[in-house]
Amino acid sequence: MFNPHYINMKKRLTTLALVLLMGASAAVAQNCCKQEGCNDCCKDGQKKECCQKAAIENIMTRTSVRKFKNQPVETEKIETMLRAAMAAPTAVNKQPWHFVVVTDKQVLAKLAGEGGRGNMLRNAPLAIVVCGDMQKALSGKGQEYWIQDTSAATENLLLAAHALGLGAVWTGQWPMDDRYTHTMNVLGMPESVKPLCTVIIGYPDEQPTPKDKWKPENISYNKYGERK
């Protein structure tokens, strides 16, 4: 036998649950938009355009950060950055990269050694050494593509760090033999693994202004030296 009071109560509870769910979804969407910095287009339901704007904004506002807070970087964020790095283009899909994640303060201090990047490494919570693995690279002259592949991976890593609210700076290693051999010795790398660079990462303790590097004179159309 049906109880009309029970049925009405169930309808009211179902309606209330739907209202709460819609409200929660709206709140999550609004929070997501705030993080991406594109409230207006998200409100209009233009998700694709919103994501495009956020991606371009992330590229244009990224800058090198050299001062970091005394705050560790979460494991989840480290994995996200590494996933982004490994999503980079790679010649013949060889993926000739290897990443050494360094969070140990003593190892960071050893990596610092002498030179301009020393204080950055000593004061940072994280460094990721981007390497080329010659055993995974192409053979012959094509082996040198490892430099392009790992460079693309490094840029992805930097952009992911910025998107996650972190700061980072690319410090070059290859082909300066005094730099990369020091890193190889500290990290116990085999001869077949070459450090391209060390990306120093952490929560920023400075807010440098991004440089405007747009220069139309650096562009040619259809033939070198031809202007638009």
Side-chain angles (χ1 to χ4, degrees):
M1 183 174 181
F2 293 105
N3 188 329
H5 296 292
Y6 170 77
I7 294 172
N8 289 335
M9 182 179 291
K10 187 175 181 181
K11 286 181 178 179
R12 287 197 295 269
L13 289 173
T14 302
T15 302
L16 178 60
L18 288 171
V19 170
L20 291 173
L21 179 61
M22 291 172 65
S25 300
V28 170
Q30 187 177 15
N31 184 54
C32 176
C33 288
K34 286 180 180 178
Q35 291 178 355
E36 293 176 346
C38 50
N39 284 348
D40 293 337
C41 58
C42 279
K43 285 180 180 177
D44 296 335
Q46 299 171 345
K47 183 65 177 177
K48 183 178 180 181
E49 290 80 359
C50 186
C51 291
Q52 289 172 346
K53 287 184 178 181
I56 297 298
E57 184 72 9
N58 189 58
I59 294 170
M60 302 301 287
T61 58
R62 189 214 64 80
T63 189
S64 295
V65 174
R66 295 174 173 84
K67 293 181 181 179
F68 308 97
K69 295 178 180 178
N70 185 22
Q71 179 180 350
V73 177
E74 296 86 345
T75 302
E76 295 80 6
K77 290 189 176 183
I78 295 174
E79 182 174 322
T80 297
M81 288 186 286
L82 292 170
R83 285 178 176 272
M86 294 185 199
T90 163
V92 200
N93 196 32
K94 282 292 185 178
Q95 305 175 38
W97 42 54
H98 188 89
F99 304 88
V100 182
V101 179
V102 183
T103 57
D104 187 296
K105 283 291 186 181
Q106 291 184 342
V107 180
L108 287 168
K110 289 179 182 178
L111 279 177
E114 303 294 333
R117 67 181 188 144
N119 288 334
M120 289 188 289
L121 273 167
R122 291 186 189 93
N123 297 326
L126 169 67
I128 297 178
V129 184
V130 183
C131 309
D133 187 340
M134 299 306 104
Q135 293 184 342
K136 299 176 185 175
L138 289 165
S139 59
K141 196 170 183 179
Q143 187 182 68
E144 294 301 305
Y145 281 135
W146 76 267
I147 298 173
Q148 298 181 40
D149 293 350
T150 52
S151 294
T154 303
E155 181 65 7
N156 275 16
L157 182 64
L158 291 168
L159 290 172
H162 181 49
L164 293 169
L166 299 166
V169 59
W170 178 333
T171 62
Q173 304 265 292
W174 192 267
M176 309 300 286
D177 52 3
D178 59 328
R179 292 187 180 185
Y180 71 76
T181 53
H182 172 73
T183 299
M184 291 175 70
N185 290 334
V186 170
L187 299 179
M189 292 180 179
E191 285 295 322
S192 59
V193 177
K194 310 295 184 185
L196 175 84
C197 65
T198 298
V199 182
I200 306 171
I201 307 168
Y203 282 93
D205 200 22
E206 62 175 354
Q207 297 296 329
T209 302
K211 298 179 180 68
D212 185 357
K213 301 175 184 177
W214 169 250
K215 294 180 180 179
E217 62 268 26
N218 289 337
I219 306 169
S220 297
Y221 291 88
N222 301 313
K223 183 179 179 182
Y224 180 81
E226 291 292 329
R227 303 303 176 200
K228 190 173 181 178

